[in-house]
């Protein structure tokens, strides 16, 4: 039985390994398949596919879109065609919103005498879609904080001094752009949003009604009981099961590809079969 990991970030967003390095690591770890799911971009997919061909690792083209529902939720798109024109308008809009938000954060910091600049961030992270993690890294490298967690806790999390909100693409648009690009829309890490009981049910029902066809039931930090609860909820809503670590390389060093924090992310390749069955019907 092969092992897979269907939630991975590269340097095209806020991961620290290039797409090629990411695939090389997957090969070394003996994973049979990985999905590249960068935040709001497919820029890393092409290089990963080329490396996957060379190294015998199946690479699934994917994306993780931040969508509008409450304070924002994440929808994974798996098996998308990265060249699809269906993705372009939505992603271009999302990236413009992100850039405008980054600029607001950086301007606020500069007004307070913190000498950060967007240009420096982009130079330090070439080809990356920039976000708060890159700003957090800068604060750490420049001695303002001693960890990424502290950067968020003190400055960047919602309610903190340099938090700036951004417009998110509506959930329905996020899901339809994934589906129009040939992908399966997957509810990402459903326990990260603080929903319980009916709130959770309403959330999942809404996602299903919008066209999500799978749910991430295996995820870093989710214990056995949580995984089992999610798998039974998925069955109840007719959703396929997905699973992945949300690997970000050195930016989240406690999370290992294909493993999670404590071995709780161990996704068998049968999960991929289930998703492929659903993909055929999408
Ligand atoms: P952005 O998409 O630019 O708003 O940044 C969100 C990303 O920042 C998430 O995907 C996480 O990778 C990271 N992040 C969010 N909150 C925290 C936190 N409290 N500590 C560390 N990383 C975080
Ligand atoms: Fe991230
Ligand atoms: Fe996420
Ligand atoms: Zn992620």
């Amino acid at each position: 039985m092969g092992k897979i990991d269907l939630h991975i970030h590269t340097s095209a967003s806020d991961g620290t390994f290039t797409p090629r390095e990411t695939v090389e690591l997957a090969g070394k770890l003996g994973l049979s398949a990985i999905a590249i799911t960068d935040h709001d971009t497919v820029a890393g997919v092409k290089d990963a596919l080329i490396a996957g061909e060379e190294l015998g690792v199946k690479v699934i083209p994917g994306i993780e879109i931040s969508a509008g529902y409450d304070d924002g939720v994440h929808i994974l798109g798996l098996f998308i065609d990265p060249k699809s024109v269906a993705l372009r308008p939505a992603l271009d809009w999302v990236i413009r919103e992100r850039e405008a938000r980054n600029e607001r954060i950086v301007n606020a910091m500069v007004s307070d005498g913190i000498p950060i600049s967007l240009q420096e961030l982009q130079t330090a992270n070439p080809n990356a879609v920039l976000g708060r993690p890159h700003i957090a890294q800068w604060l750490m490298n420049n001695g303002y904080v001693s960890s990424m967690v502290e950067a968020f806790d003190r400055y960047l999390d919602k309610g903190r001094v340099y938090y700036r909100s951004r417009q998110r693409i509506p959930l329905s648009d996020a899901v339809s752009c994934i589906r129009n690009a040939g992908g399966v829309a997957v509810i990402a890490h459903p326990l990260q949003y603080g929903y319980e009981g009916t709130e959770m049910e309403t959330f999942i029902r809404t996602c299903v009604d919008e066209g999500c066809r799978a749910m991430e039931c295996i995820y870093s930090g989710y214990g056995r009981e949580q995984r089992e609860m999610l798998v039974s909820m998925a069955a109840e809503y007719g959703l396929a099961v997905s699973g992945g670590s949300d690997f970000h390389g050195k930016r989240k060093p406690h999370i290992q590809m294909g493993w999670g924090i404590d071995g709780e992310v161990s996704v068998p390749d049968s999960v991929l079969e289930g998703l492929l069955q659903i993909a055929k019907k999408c």
Side-chain angles (χ1 to χ4, degrees):
M1 184 188 75
K3 256 179 61 164
I4 63 175
D5 189 331
L6 301 180
H7 189 156
I8 290 180
H9 295 265
T10 74
S11 56
S13 66
D14 57 346
T16 57
F17 294 118
T18 64
R20 173 169 285 274
E21 289 165 347
T22 303
V23 176
E24 283 170 359
L25 178 57
K28 271 190 214 139
L29 293 171
L31 300 182
S32 58
I34 57 170
I36 301 296
T37 56
D38 279 305
H39 296 290
D40 304 325
T41 181
V42 289
V45 167
K46 187 175 161 208
D47 284 357
L49 284 170
I50 295 169
E53 283 280 329
E54 278 174 37
L55 301 169
V57 176
K58 185 176 169 61
V59 170
I60 295 150
I63 193 163
E64 180 173 27
I65 301 182
S66 310
Y69 180 94
D70 259 0
D71 285 343
V73 297
H74 287 176
I75 304 295
L76 293 164
L78 298 177
F79 316 111
I80 53 172
D81 169 7
K83 294 193 291 292
S84 168
V85 291
L87 292 172
R88 277 296 28 114
L91 296 188
D92 288 348
W93 182 87
V94 170
I95 287 169
R96 275 199 305 276
E97 273 302 315
R98 242 180 200 289
E99 284 170 350
R101 189 274 318 250
N102 293 341
E103 199 172 336
R104 289 198 293 277
I105 297 177
V106 165
N107 286 345
M109 289 179 161
V110 169
S111 310
D112 289 348
I114 301 174
I116 189 172
S117 80
L118 283 175
Q119 208 177 359
E120 186 185 345
L121 291 176
Q122 197 70 73
T123 308
N125 301 281
N127 305 319
V129 169
L130 295 178
R132 286 179 293 164
H134 305 98
I135 298 172
Q137 184 84 49
W138 186 97
L139 288 168
M140 207 168 113
N141 295 347
N142 289 274
Y144 288 88
V145 292
S146 55
S147 69
M148 296 284 289
V149 171
E150 190 189 345
F152 275 89
D153 280 356
R154 280 181 61 187
Y155 298 117
L156 296 167
D157 255 342
K158 195 172 182 192
R160 304 300 171 199
V161 56
Y162 297 124
Y163 176 81
R164 295 294 180 277
S165 63
R166 64 185 158 100
Q167 293 267 94
R168 291 170 200 278
I169 176 173
L171 179 61
S172 56
D173 292 2
V175 173
S176 60
C177 104
I178 287 167
R179 299 185 75 183
N180 291 338
V184 176
V186 183
I187 304 169
H189 41 63
L191 302 181
Q192 300 316 98
Y193 314 117
Y195 300 141
E196 279 177 32
T198 46
E199 265 184 355
M200 184 71 156
E201 283 164 21
T202 306
F203 168 58
I204 297 177
R205 171 54 56 205
T206 306
C207 290
V208 171
D209 289 348
E210 296 295 359
C212 286
R213 292 291 173 261
M215 182 157 82
E216 196 169 48
C217 303
I218 308 169
Y219 185 74
S220 289
Y222 291 6
R224 175 195 282 267
E225 275 181 26
Q226 292 174 312
R227 297 195 300 270
E228 286 174 359
M229 185 269 286
L230 291 170
V231 168
S232 74
M233 279 194 99
E236 194 183 320
Y237 287 90
L239 294 164
V241 168
S242 188
S245 64
D246 210 353
F247 179 72
H248 279 71
K250 293 178 187 141
R251 207 163 264 126
K252 293 192 182 178
H254 57 297
I255 294 175
Q256 300 300 310
M257 189 191 295
W259 174 264
I261 297 165
D262 217 6
E264 73 285 13
V265 176
S266 181
V267 186
D269 51 13
S270 56
V271 162
L272 190 55
E273 294 305 315
L275 287 162
L276 282 166
Q277 289 301 321
I278 290 262
K280 279 187 211 147
K281 292 186 220 145
C282 276

